[in-house]
Amino acid sequence: ETGVTQTPRHLVMGMTNKKSLKCEQHLGHNAMYWYKQSAKKPLELMFVYSLEERVENNSVPSRFSPECPNSSHLFLHLHTLQPEDSALYLCASSQSTGTGANVLTFGAGSRLTVL
Amino acid sequence: QKEVEQNSGPLSVPEGAIASLNCTYSDRGSQSFFWYRQYSGKSPELIMSIYSNGDKEDGRFTAQLNKASQYVSLLIRDSQPSDSATYLCAVKRPGGYNKLIFGAGTRLAVHP
């Protein structure tokens, strides 16, 4: 596999469910990101991991819990979500330093619907 | 004030024309600027980056940066129907780690 792979591509969950989104990158990058994309709103940066350390938590509610076990894998654990959390969740990766740090490669996204 | 502002469009141009996409940003200390293209139902992909005032050309694309006016633009020459997409302007916030702030995007429609 190449690039940045996200699973599942589509997820429907109730407000009391617990689920996880998975992201895997095969680019040798050492920084990974979660972005939220809602209709007609800018991409919202949620979390940044650099060298497996969380370096950014952009005031995200605690019902979203990220995990980065190594530089190739990133998870977003979801629990007791609200309908307004329905959105496309995009994972991205980049180098953590140098000019490559500015070049994000995005996955195809996980479309989440909260009922 | 939004950190990165773009006209949502749609911007409609005929095939072969020049499409001009504009973006303004609020943080005067920003140093790095990017244009991403996002086709409907797909993820964003980087098409241009610019770091210095002036123009930067890559094929049919030209990025223009004016830091004094806090303005960055993207020109697409000889527009093709395949250029129809949403174009996202992104600005790297000074300091911190890799914090790219995106605008809401401008939808471009190139009609034959």
Side-chain angles (χ1 to χ4, degrees), chain A residues 60-105:
Chain A
V60 179
S62 59
R63 58 186 183 269
F64 295 91
S65 175
E67 179 189 0
C68 186
N70 55 61
S71 60
S72 299
H73 293 86
L74 183 66
F75 294 89
L76 188 62
H77 304 299
L78 316 169
H79 64 98
T80 59
L81 295 190
Q82 304 298 309
E84 61 264 29
D85 296 323
S86 299
L88 181 68
Y89 289 84
L90 288 163
C91 174
S93 70
S94 75
Q95 296 297 335
S96 61
T97 58
T99 55
N102 300 320
V103 181
L104 300 185
T105 300

Side-chain angles (χ1 to χ4, degrees), chain A residues 31 33 35 37 40-43 45 48 50 55-56 90 94-96 99 101-104 106-108, chain B residues 2 4 32 34 36 38 41-46 51 88 92-93 97-105:
Chain A
Y33 313 75
Y35 278 88
Q37 188 172 36
K40 304 205 171 164
K41 292 177 70 175
L43 279 167
L45 179 62
V48 180
S50 178
V55 295
E56 179 69 24
L90 288 163
S94 75
Q95 296 297 335
S96 61
T99 55
N102 300 320
V103 181
L104 300 185
F106 285 90
Chain B
K2 295 177 184 176
V4 180
S32 307
F34 308 87
Y36 282 77
Q38 187 173 22
K42 302 293 186 181
S43 55
E45 57 179 340
L46 180 70
Y51 305 97
L88 307 175
K92 184 172 182 293
R93 192 184 279 170
Y97 284 87
N98 312 335
K99 291 170 69 169
L100 279 189
I101 307 301
F102 285 81

Side-chain angles (χ1 to χ4, degrees), chain B residues 31-34 48-52 54-56 63-65 72:
Chain B
Q31 296 293 322
S32 307
F33 307 87
F34 308 87
M48 288 285 288
S49 61
I50 186 165
Y51 305 97
S52 305
D55 295 0
K56 178 182 177 183
Q64 299 175 318
L65 175 61
V72 59

